[in-house]
């Protein structure tokens, strides 16, 4: 067996032991004589999986009882619409912080539903950044404030969250369960599972129940949070296998210890940024230092110290891929390089990449 270092931004690396466990259980799931893939979502065996996934998340994230934990479909992208449909009540407006590509998409969808105030915009800033906290001017009486806790493409991350009067809504797709935060500071949190929680096809939504209850009547059934709260995410067929993998991933986080993982995440990112900063300008981070993401490390190559070279970056990606480092190409919309180092990415992989980068610089610098 040969596993490479997987720096993909999402779907992304999963803990090897989770994949192996799923493999062991694949054909005969826990004595049922069938695969979980073939099981009814109303069966007892699946029910245990579903409730374990919710219980693990409640424990790991400290989710209070007055919040619902939902497993939905349509990706985080569907939440861009579903959130305003449910929370942007007629006659109100919502504040959005536009910090990059993902926030921009959330803004665009919300504008189709109701009144949106973009209260800060750094989406086009180079170097990339999150708007500074002191520049945020919230609209009194706003229905909610929407932020993107980690801009996966830009590699920029909120290091502290704003205190808001209106419920805070956060797209945490690429950094949920990677660092401590208090659920009680938020009205709604959502995340596609395919970065830190499991495979694609499951979207986690954590929503304060009283907010969901205030949604307008007449929403499409599947786009109304109340439907899924009442049915414990079993109104229709949920993505059962994805939720199973999420249960295994969260079980793994419990075993490793979330505090250990959080600490490891900070250390992994720090080692990579330190290598970038110590390269004498050959490698340069693309986000301002105070907003550097611990999950998505974005950087470029400046062979002459002044101009980034796409050609050199292409060479870097090709040689890295050949050496067993996959997924280092930056997002197609921005170019450059990106190392996504989510929870399941092993520290050794960061050390090996650092060594590879030094070697590459020696040969090309
Ligand atoms: C990946 C990502 C999304 C998109 O998620 P889908 O599940 O593909 O819709 C949205 N927001 C952020 C911050 C992401 O990283």
């Amino acid at each position: 067996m040969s596993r490479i270092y997987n720096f993909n931004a999402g779907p992304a690396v999963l803990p090897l032991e989770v994949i192996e466990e799923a493999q062991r259980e694949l054909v005969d799931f826990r004595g049922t004589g069938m695969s979980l893939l073939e099981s009814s979502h109303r069966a007892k065996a699946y029910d245990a999986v579903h409730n374990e996934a919710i219980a693990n998340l409640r424990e790991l994230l400290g989710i209070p009882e007055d919040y619902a934990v939902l497993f939905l479909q349509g990706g985080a992208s569907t939440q861009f619409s579903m959130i305003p449909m449910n929370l942007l009540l007629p006659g109100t407006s919502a504040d959005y912080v536009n910090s990059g590509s993902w926030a921009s998409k959330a803004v665009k969808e919300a504008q189709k539903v109701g009144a949106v105030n973009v209260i800060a915009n750094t989406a086009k800033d180079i170097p990339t950044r999150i708007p500074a906290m002191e520049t945020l001017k919230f609209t009194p009486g706003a229905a909610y404030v929407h932020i993107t806790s980690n801009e996966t493409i830009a590699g920029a991350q909120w290091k502290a969250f704003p205190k808001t009067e209106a419920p805070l809504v956060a797209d945490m797709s690429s950094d949920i369960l990677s660092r401590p935060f208090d659920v009680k500071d938020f009205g709604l949190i959502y995340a596609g599972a395919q970065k830190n929680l499991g495979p694609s096809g499951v979207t986690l939504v954590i929503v304060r129940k009283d907010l969901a209850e205030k949604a307008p009547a007449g929403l499409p059934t599947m786009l109304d949070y109340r439907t899924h709260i009442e049915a414990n995410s079993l109104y229709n067929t949920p993505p059962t296998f994805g939720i199973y993998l999420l249960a295994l991933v969260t079980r793994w986080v419990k075993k490793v210890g979330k505090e250990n993982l959080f600490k490891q995440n900070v250390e992994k990112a720090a080692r990579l940024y330190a290598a970038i900063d110590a390269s004498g300008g050959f490698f340069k981070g693309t986000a301002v230092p105070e907003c550097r993401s611990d999950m998505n490390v974005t950087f470029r190559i400046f062979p002459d110290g002044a101009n980034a070279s796409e050609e050199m970056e292409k060479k870097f990606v090709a040689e890295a891929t050949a050496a067993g480092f996959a997924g280092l190409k930056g997002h197609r919309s921005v170019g450059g390089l990106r190392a996504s180092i989510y929870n399941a990415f092993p520290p050794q992989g960061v050390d090996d990449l650092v060594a590879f980068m030094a070697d590459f610089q020696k040969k090309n610098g």
Side-chain angles (χ1 to χ4, degrees):
M1 187 184 70
S2 64
R3 298 257 306 163
I4 55 169
Y5 288 129
N6 178 358
F7 291 93
N8 281 324
V13 58
L14 288 166
L16 178 59
E17 57 185 88
V18 163
I19 297 172
E20 287 173 339
E21 175 73 1
Q23 182 183 43
R24 270 193 299 277
E25 297 191 310
L26 186 63
V27 175
D28 175 6
F29 185 72
R30 300 179 189 172
T32 57
M34 66 173 82
S35 174
L36 188 72
L37 290 163
E38 307 164 292
S39 168
S40 164
H41 57 295
R42 312 281 175 204
K44 228 173 157 177
Y46 176 70
D47 202 51
V49 167
H50 193 87
N51 290 323
E52 181 191 340
I54 294 170
N56 288 352
L57 285 168
R58 279 203 184 275
E59 180 186 329
L60 287 166
L61 296 173
I63 305 170
E65 275 310 312
D66 55 332
Y67 288 74
V69 177
L70 306 176
F71 298 131
L72 306 183
Q73 299 185 67
S77 300
T78 296
Q79 293 309 306
F80 297 161
S81 307
M82 200 163 161
I83 286 161
M85 287 172 84
N86 283 264
L87 306 188
L88 186 41
L89 304 179
T92 68
S93 67
D95 285 350
Y96 275 69
V97 179
N98 190 350
S99 50
S101 314
W102 288 116
S104 299
K105 289 190 171 171
V107 167
K108 187 168 156 235
E109 295 308 312
Q111 283 168 336
K112 294 177 187 173
V113 178
V116 168
N117 292 314
V118 177
I119 59 162
N121 193 342
T122 54
K124 298 242 152 57
D125 284 26
I126 305 236
T128 56
R129 61 165 309 123
I130 301 292
M133 198 74 86
E134 63 275 12
T135 65
L136 304 178
K137 299 268 180 292
F138 301 107
T139 309
Y144 61 88
V145 177
H146 182 282
I147 62 167
T148 308
S149 63
N150 183 60
E151 285 285 356
T152 321
I153 293 173
Q157 186 175 35
W158 290 78
K159 294 299 168 182
F161 295 118
K163 293 268 173 269
T164 56
E165 211 165 290
L168 187 58
V169 171
D171 177 356
M172 290 198 189
S173 290
S174 50
D175 69 352
I176 192 155
L177 197 49
S178 72
R179 56 174 173 163
F181 68 92
D182 193 343
V183 171
K184 289 196 291 295
D185 294 338
F186 297 84
L188 188 151
I189 293 162
Y190 63 105
Q194 66 272 24
K195 283 131 189 173
N196 267 316
L197 298 175
S200 59
V202 186
T203 309
L204 170 67
V205 174
I206 301 165
V207 58
R208 229 175 64 205
K209 291 178 197 164
D210 65 305
L211 291 175
E213 274 154 22
K214 279 189 237 146
L219 290 174
T221 306
M222 283 296 288
L223 299 178
D224 188 328
Y225 290 123
R226 286 168 297 211
T227 302
H228 305 289
I229 294 172
E230 279 159 29
N232 191 28
S233 304
L234 287 159
Y235 171 77
N236 74 323
T237 319
T240 53
F241 203 75
I243 293 168
Y244 160 62
L245 284 172
L246 187 149
L248 293 185
V249 168
T250 47
R251 201 189 270 186
W252 170 81
V253 174
K254 281 171 51 173
K255 195 185 94 181
V256 174
K258 65 174 180 179
E259 300 301 339
N260 295 329
L261 217 46
F262 295 169
K263 190 163 155 267
Q264 184 175 285
N265 285 336
V266 172
E267 290 167 356
K268 283 189 301 191
R271 276 209 295 285
L272 197 39
Y273 286 119
I276 289 167
D277 292 342
S279 71
F282 183 77
F283 297 108
K284 280 185 199 154
T286 52
V288 297
E290 67 271 23
C291 297
R292 284 173 163 181
S293 169
D294 286 346
M295 294 285 101
N296 310 96
V297 176
T298 50
F299 56 107
R300 301 211 60 180
I301 300 179
F302 295 73
D304 59 2
N307 301 295
S309 163
E310 275 177 44
E311 203 179 319
M312 190 63 82
E313 287 162 358
K314 235 183 227 165
K315 185 166 187 242
F316 180 87
V317 170
E319 290 181 16
T321 306
F325 304 96
L328 287 167
K329 196 166 177 287
H331 190 270
R332 56 195 145 75
S333 64
V334 294
L337 303 164
R338 171 174 57 174
S340 296
I341 47 175
Y342 300 117
N343 281 355
F345 190 89
Q348 187 64 49
V350 171
D351 293 340
D352 290 359
L353 177 64
V354 165
F356 174 85
M357 287 164 65
D359 189 54
F360 184 87
Q361 184 179 356
K362 209 181 288 164
K363 289 178 183 142
N364 300 281

